[in-house]
Amino acid sequence: EPEVTQTPSHQVTQMGQEVILRCVPISNHLYFYWYRQILGQKVEFLVSFYNNEISEKSEIFDDQFSVERPDGSNFTLKIRSTKLEDSAMYFCASSGTGQDEQYFGPGTRLTVT
Amino acid sequence: GIQVEQSPPDLILQEGANSTLRCNFSDSVNNLQWFHQNPWGQLINLFYIPSGTKQNGRLSATTVATERYSLLYISSSQTTDSGVYFCAVEANTGGFKAIFGAGTRLFVKA
């Protein structure tokens, strides 16, 4: 069964450093998403991406964040200058269309020290 | 924006018991999904159910879109059912994003 994959599973970084989280969505899906979950809290939407551009973003997705689909398979989230409060689990998801079921990857746990 | 409320926030069951989890939402939705977050943090798709009723083994779900709620039924619970159950909706007001509820934390005792 096709699945969304994410790498790395866990990343530790120092405050102020840049990190890139990587995702491989399901191959025939057209919509891609990033969400985050701070420990013990609910899952929050960050950004959706379609046709090589951002469809929608939340107020959390400020200038320190960016997304890219550098090739036909990868979808990345870059955090330019990490802060302690960026520590969270980051989930990538994909869907066939914008209103279809979303499939989530296993997440990348980001720890900022 | 749309509000998603789940109840109860916490639930402790004896193995073998049945339970009903509820998700209320404040506006009309294009879709609704139920997820189980396991102890390793993975979000497992349970149901994609914008309306109607679906069953998958011991789990079933019903969404009454006109009344803005969904129910997840767990029958004959097992210890492996423990974890957090999230409801997530996509509002029908444009934009493609899932809005999650705060979840129901379930613990099933052996």
Side-chain angles (χ1 to χ4, degrees):
Chain A
E1 184 176 326
E3 59 182 17
V4 177
T5 60
Q6 291 185 242
T7 54
S9 56
H10 190 193
Q11 171 119 29
V12 181
T13 190
Q14 290 190 323
M15 197 167 46
Q17 295 298 303
E18 174 182 287
V19 295
I20 297 176
L21 310 183
R22 292 183 165 81
C23 168
V24 178
I26 293 173
S27 63
N28 62 346
H29 283 182
L30 300 177
Y31 287 78
F32 315 115
Y33 314 83
W34 284 101
Y35 295 82
R36 80 171 186 189
Q37 184 182 31
I38 294 170
L39 187 64
Q41 298 186 22
K42 65 180 176 182
V43 179
E44 301 173 288
F45 169 77
L46 291 178
V47 65
S48 58
F49 191 86
Y50 168 70
N51 200 27
N52 278 319
E53 59 183 30
I54 290 173
S55 301
E56 187 162 355
K57 59 183 181 179
S58 71
E59 59 275 11
I60 303 168
F61 194 88
D62 61 21
D63 290 346
Q64 67 162 153
F65 292 94
S66 62
V67 289
E68 191 179 27
R69 187 154 164 82
D71 53 43
S73 58
N74 291 282
F75 179 51
T76 62
L77 174 69
K78 182 191 289 187
I79 308 175
R80 258 179 276 284
S81 177
T82 50
K83 306 171 193 168
L84 293 175
E85 55 265 36
D86 293 328
S87 294
M89 179 79 96
Y90 288 81
F91 292 102
C92 173
S94 69
S95 64
T97 73
Q99 297 180 7
D100 269 353
E101 182 173 7
Q102 292 187 24
Y103 291 85
F104 281 70
T108 292
R109 183 167 298 285
L110 177 65
T111 302
V112 182
T113 62
Chain B
I2 193 167
Q3 304 297 312
V4 181
E5 294 183 358
Q6 291 187 242
S7 59
D10 298 281
L11 187 58
I12 301 175
L13 295 177
Q14 194 66 45
E15 196 170 28
N18 303 329
S19 63
T20 301
L21 281 56
R22 187 176 180 103
C23 172
N24 292 333
F25 41 96
S26 61
D27 205 344
S28 53
V29 297
N30 285 328
N31 69 49
L32 185 145
Q33 292 184 244
W34 282 98
F35 296 91
H36 175 217
Q37 187 165 42
N38 64 22
W40 296 271
Q42 295 177 318
L43 288 167
I44 309 300
N45 288 44
L46 296 177
F47 294 102
Y48 169 70
I49 186 165
S51 64
T53 297
K54 290 185 177 179
Q55 178 148 11
N56 184 3
R58 296 182 297 103
L59 303 182
S60 63
T62 295
T63 297
V64 184
T66 52
E67 297 187 22
R68 300 180 183 169
Y69 73 89
S70 183
L71 302 173
L72 177 70
Y73 305 96
I74 304 175
S75 65
S76 304
S77 57
Q78 300 176 357
T79 56
T80 51
D81 295 332
S82 296
V84 184
Y85 289 81
F86 288 104
C87 163
V89 305
E90 188 173 287
N92 132 20
T93 50
F96 303 117
K97 60 184 180 186
I99 304 300
F100 281 72
T104 292
R105 186 174 301 275
L106 173 66
F107 179 67
V108 181
K109 300 187 294 185

